Amino acid sequence: MMNRTPLFWLVLLHSIPNCLHAFASFTTRLPMYQPSGSILPVMTTAETTKLVRPEKPSRLQTLDYTTLALVACELRERLLPGRVENVIQQDDFSLLLQMRCVDDFTWMLICWQPEAARVCLQRNGPNDSNRNSRGDGQSKRRGGGNGVSSTLYSLPGQLKGFLQLKTLINVTLPIPGERIMVFEFADRLTVSVPTHKLVIEVMGRRSNVMLVDGDTDIVLACGYQVSPLKSVRPVSIGQRYTYPPPLTAPLPPPLPEDQADMEAYESEFIRGITLVPSHSLPKALISAYRGFSPQLVDVMGSTVGIRNASTTPVGNLSRDVLVRFFRGPVVMWVRLIVMRDPRVVATSECGLSLDGKRYTPLLFHPGNGWQPVPSVLKLVEVYYTAFLKRQELRDLQRRGLNRVQAVQHRLQRTRQEFQRQLDAAAEEEVSKLQTKAELLTTYAYSWKQGDTECVCPDLDTGEEICIPLKPGNSAADEAQATYGRIRKLKRSVDAIMPLLQKIDVKVAYVDELESSIQQLGTSARSDEDTPNVLNTRTLSQDLAIMREIAEELGINCLDGRGGSSTTFFSTILNRLSVPGIEQSSLSNYQNSKNNKRKKKDKPVRDKNKKIQGKSTDGAKKCAQSMAIQSFRPPSVHSTSNVVVYVGRNSKQNDYVTFQLARDHELWFHAQGVPGAHCLMRIDPGVEVSDADMQFAADLAAYFSKARGSGQVPVIWTSPKYLKRVVGGGPGMVHVSKEKVLWGRPSRGEKIVLENDEDNNTMI
């Protein structure tokens, strides 16, 4: 027995990997489990069913040394000489320095956010209209402002105290190949020795900003302090600032002038990057030299025909390809970054991918999916601003869909319960009970003591029917109980029908919110082969619309708004118990209703007066502040001064329909599905052409839940035939005297794309 035991365990150990492999292959054939709270909405239209999947989050491209070197070069040209006028901190990781240059004022953004650390210029200043004039980063009221936190910052106050009215005398990169930028400040332009230095370290999650004394290198202020327990290079106010440890790999040396030396330089370069043949080209180049980044090497390789440079081993590349790689993009990079050749600097361009998800500081070969950008400062601003906006849009969409679909699920359950009670009180059930009660009343004399059923002939057919009786009840008692049941069912119908109508109104309102969220950041044309291209203007509009929806849903936006006011959605939450969603106080809702009752009622708008008044300019300004989109039809075969306003959410729909619309104008909406309210603004007495009508119908079809269909019926009418739904949310209307016009979502999408191209503000 002692000899067999080791053999048994040996066989068991050999069988374990086979069992695990069999289990893994079995689990791969099983359907993937999807939790109930996950989001995978399905858009159902009249003709097609389109699956709407969330956009895959793209990885943010970090600011590499090449980009930082070009940024420093442009900052020297744009800001020198410049004077600091103001310092403002927008959030926990962003500083804005107002610089007074020779030509005009400009704002320099310094951001040390781990994901998007960068330095660039901004045309506009801080987007906080409620900011005080001191510029110390504090809001006048807590929670006020757009995009500025109400946290009390100390860093901008310290920077302003040290740097205000100081002159920027130089912008340097002190360590070649290291992503550290230093701004040197002095009292006057003629002084060469700086009194203060502003050091920006762009190093991913270790990014930071420090204000250093020019003589002693003592840290006067910093973005955040680093304890000696967390790093070998602590950062603390009052201590001496030290640079990070030097990198082991050197920068490529300058190019020699002699041809023989150039050939030796080329051979040494190729030998250095081919020491490990299994390494990919980016990994091999970064291991041999500093200053390169994987994204930059990938773009450099594509210019000489190296596809998938990040996955192709450098040993698989022929020497001819490596020679072209060195003589082309590598030589250009060395002349620009290492040697700072002014001729290369003057002709260099950067590029942004067509989908806006990648950038290259050096556009070695124009075209091939890249859009040229003449300024690297503009490139950095556009790329990172668009990425952060896209990230915020995805986050708000995810949170909004989670909240809307949780409420939608609870409303559907409540509606099913009401429908079940209503079915129980149906006419057939009441008719059966009425027949039973009449039979029991008619043949109650035949009942005897102790009988558990009453045998009665049917009044129509004469067949005998056995009616069971409850124990202890006579036929007369059972008849009276049945009559009571009939009265109760009739009362329940009268009570359930209004409740069911209210639930239907709430369900329609929530469906409208869900459809509005799903349409943002997407295009009907985008698929797996064609990327979803959104320019800066479209992305900003979608984000502004989503912020309005988030405010209505009670979601705290990144700019501090949302959840502070009472909305129709919050009143629904007050009456539902939705898991995972914080419940707003019902007492606050009642107090807000009481306060509204105390206020003086607003006068009813005079439609005739509005037609003759001067409210057009004010309406346009309000529409722009609410991010309401407007479209103009082509001038060919079009009525003059025709504008179509499109509401993209319930708040905008309510404004377009009941505030902006006038009686002589035309209102469009997709029939039977959630969608946008489209208003055609025309002058009084003007006859609208068929082309303009089709133009508005196509837009209404595209901005609806049925945008995946080939044709969509669109109703149109005058705004005077629209009424609010009693007890409904914003944007819910009753329509009368409507007419139907067929719209094509494909043509509506083309209109939107052409409008975006005409108003493209990316570059």
Side-chain angles (χ1 to χ4, degrees), residues 363-379:
L363 191 60
F364 301 95
H365 189 277
N368 296 330
W370 296 99
Q371 182 178 4
V373 183
S375 170
V376 70
L377 286 173
K378 185 64 176 177
L379 172 70

Side-chain angles (χ1 to χ4, degrees), residues 174-185:
I175 304 178
E178 191 68 80
R179 291 179 293 174
I180 300 177
M181 182 180 292
V182 178
F183 294 88
E184 298 179 355
F185 297 91

Side-chain angles (χ1 to χ4, degrees), residues 257-308:
E257 297 292 339
D258 186 65
Q259 182 64 25
D261 295 339
M262 188 66 178
E263 293 178 357
Y265 186 106
E266 177 182 318
S267 301
E268 180 63 23
F269 177 86
I270 295 177
R271 187 194 66 82
I273 65 176
T274 56
L275 288 177
V276 183
S278 61
H279 285 177
S280 62
L281 183 61
K283 187 175 182 180
L285 193 56
I286 293 173
S287 300
Y289 301 99
R290 75 169 70 170
F292 295 96
S293 64
Q295 298 86 356
L296 179 63
V297 177
D298 190 36
V299 175
M300 295 169 67
S302 64
T303 59
V304 294
I306 303 176
R307 297 183 179 180
N308 301 324

Side-chain angles (χ1 to χ4, degrees), residues 325-464:
F325 177 72
F326 170 77
R327 296 180 180 178
V330 174
V331 170
M332 178 180 175
W333 186 88
V334 173
R335 290 186 181 278
L336 178 64
I337 303 301
V338 179
M339 304 175 64
R340 297 182 182 179
D341 190 341
R343 294 171 298 178
V344 181
V345 173
T347 58
S348 63
E349 278 188 333
C350 48
L352 186 69
S353 62
L354 296 180
D355 57 0
K357 297 180 181 179
R358 293 188 304 154
Y359 77 89
T360 174
L362 291 176
L363 191 60
F364 301 95
H365 189 277
N368 296 330
W370 296 99
Q371 182 178 4
V373 183
S375 170
V376 70
L377 286 173
K378 185 64 176 177
L379 172 70
V380 173
E381 178 191 2
V382 168
Y383 174 77
Y384 285 97
T385 302
F387 182 88
L388 294 176
K389 286 183 178 180
R390 194 180 295 110
Q391 188 180 43
E392 182 184 357
L393 177 61
R394 285 197 304 264
D395 180 68
L396 290 178
Q397 281 183 297
R398 176 185 55 81
R399 296 167 62 188
L401 282 175
N402 281 330
R403 177 162 296 197
V404 165
Q405 292 188 347
V407 173
Q408 190 179 41
H409 178 68
R410 188 53 59 96
L411 287 175
Q412 291 292 349
R413 290 180 56 184
T414 305
R415 192 188 187 286
Q416 290 175 3
E417 179 62 24
F418 284 157
Q419 189 64 42
R420 185 189 62 80
Q421 298 178 11
L422 191 63
D423 294 340
E427 295 182 359
E428 296 181 359
E429 185 68 20
V430 173
S431 177
K432 293 179 181 179
L433 293 176
Q434 185 73 26
T435 303
K436 175 183 175 181
E438 292 177 356
L439 290 174
L440 290 175
T441 303
T442 304
Y443 297 99
Y445 65 90
S446 63
W447 178 80
K448 297 180 181 179
Q449 188 70 28
D451 290 347
T452 58
E453 60 182 16
C454 182
V455 179
C456 311
D458 190 293
L459 298 179
D460 297 330
T461 62
E463 298 180 358
E464 290 186 353

Side-chain angles (χ1 to χ4, degrees), residues 578-597:
V578 182
I581 298 181
E582 63 276 9
Q583 304 297 320
S584 55
S585 174
L586 185 60
S587 60
N588 295 338
Y589 169 67
Q590 296 293 344
N591 294 335
S592 64
K593 289 184 64 177
N594 296 334
N595 294 336
K596 288 182 180 180
R597 292 171 183 172

